[in-house]
Amino acid sequence: MSVEPEAGTGVPSDPATRFLLAARDGDQAAAGDFVRATQAEVWRFVAALVDRDAADDLTQDTYLRAFRALPDFAGRSSARTWLLGIARRACADHIRSLTRLRRLGDRLAAEPRPTHVPDQAGLLVADDLLRSLPDDRRSAFVLTQVLGLSYQETAEIEQVPVGTIRSRVARARAHLVEAVQAARAG
């Protein structure tokens, strides 16, 4: 997805991309504006992909990576798409790191992870529902249904065709409906 400039100005229409381009050109205030404009969304995304306990660190890691890569940002996609792609890679690296730690110490082997856990009222908590989804479906669902990105933007972040995103979201919805129905029945 390319960034559409405002008519006749050549300036990107979304504020985050404008802030990022200005930050790339040396405007420190714009760098702060960019972080303030995007931080909550990045935090929600990484919290959904990994967990809330790691979200602060992964959000910070995302911005460190983004500002290191800033000279290469050309504005061919929106700043939001570019940044969430970086966040996704930070989460993947974090998960790989945890996997290595598990293998080395086998310290988490005793903690089986349930696919879903009903709360005291017999209903699934939203986080547990999301955690019950396979990683690729959870990512597509969170990006489109929780964060409100388009299927095209999500496809760019996930680096798959739009049809794959549509399929993942549809399967995620079906899985979530089944999980809720099972919780109510049980």
Side-chain angles (χ1 to χ4, degrees):
M1 174 182 156
S2 63
V3 177
E4 296 296 323
E6 289 183 27
T9 67
V11 177
S13 60
D14 75 287
T17 301
R18 284 197 308 272
F19 293 145
L20 190 60
L21 289 169
R24 181 196 65 191
D25 296 338
D27 184 342
Q28 292 300 312
D33 291 337
F34 172 70
V35 172
R36 281 186 291 282
T38 57
Q39 186 173 18
E41 185 171 57
V42 169
W43 189 93
R44 284 193 330 248
F45 181 55
V46 299
L49 289 185
V50 180
D51 65 53
R52 291 176 181 263
D53 293 335
D56 289 338
D57 290 339
L58 286 169
T59 299
Q60 183 176 10
D61 184 34
T62 296
Y63 284 102
L64 289 171
R65 291 176 184 213
F67 283 109
R68 268 189 240 121
L70 187 55
D72 297 329
F73 179 71
R76 287 186 291 275
S77 65
S78 72
R80 182 184 193 200
T81 299
W82 179 77
L83 184 63
L84 290 173
I86 292 171
R88 180 179 168 271
R89 289 186 293 281
C91 290
D93 290 348
H94 176 75
I95 290 168
R96 276 192 288 278
S97 174
L98 287 178
T99 301
R100 283 192 298 273
L101 287 173
R102 283 185 192 125
R103 284 187 201 136
L104 289 174
D106 209 29
R107 62 187 171 91
L108 299 178
E111 295 181 43
R113 187 176 180 143
T115 56
H116 63 276
V117 178
D119 64 10
Q120 296 299 319
L123 300 174
L124 296 175
V125 178
D127 284 346
D128 294 329
L129 279 169
L130 288 175
R131 297 257 175 265
S132 72
L133 293 170
D135 291 344
D136 58 343
R137 291 180 191 169
R138 180 172 61 227
S139 179
F141 185 84
V142 168
L143 286 167
T144 59
Q145 307 304 302
V146 176
L147 298 180
L149 270 68
S150 70
Y151 284 88
Q152 181 63 42
E153 289 171 313
T154 302
E156 288 179 29
I157 291 167
E158 295 289 323
Q159 299 175 342
V160 297
V162 173
T164 300
I165 295 301
R166 291 185 190 285
S167 172
R168 288 176 181 175
V169 170
R171 288 185 178 124
R173 282 184 185 139
H175 175 88
L176 294 173
V177 167
E178 288 174 15
V180 169
Q181 288 172 343
R184 287 183 180 157

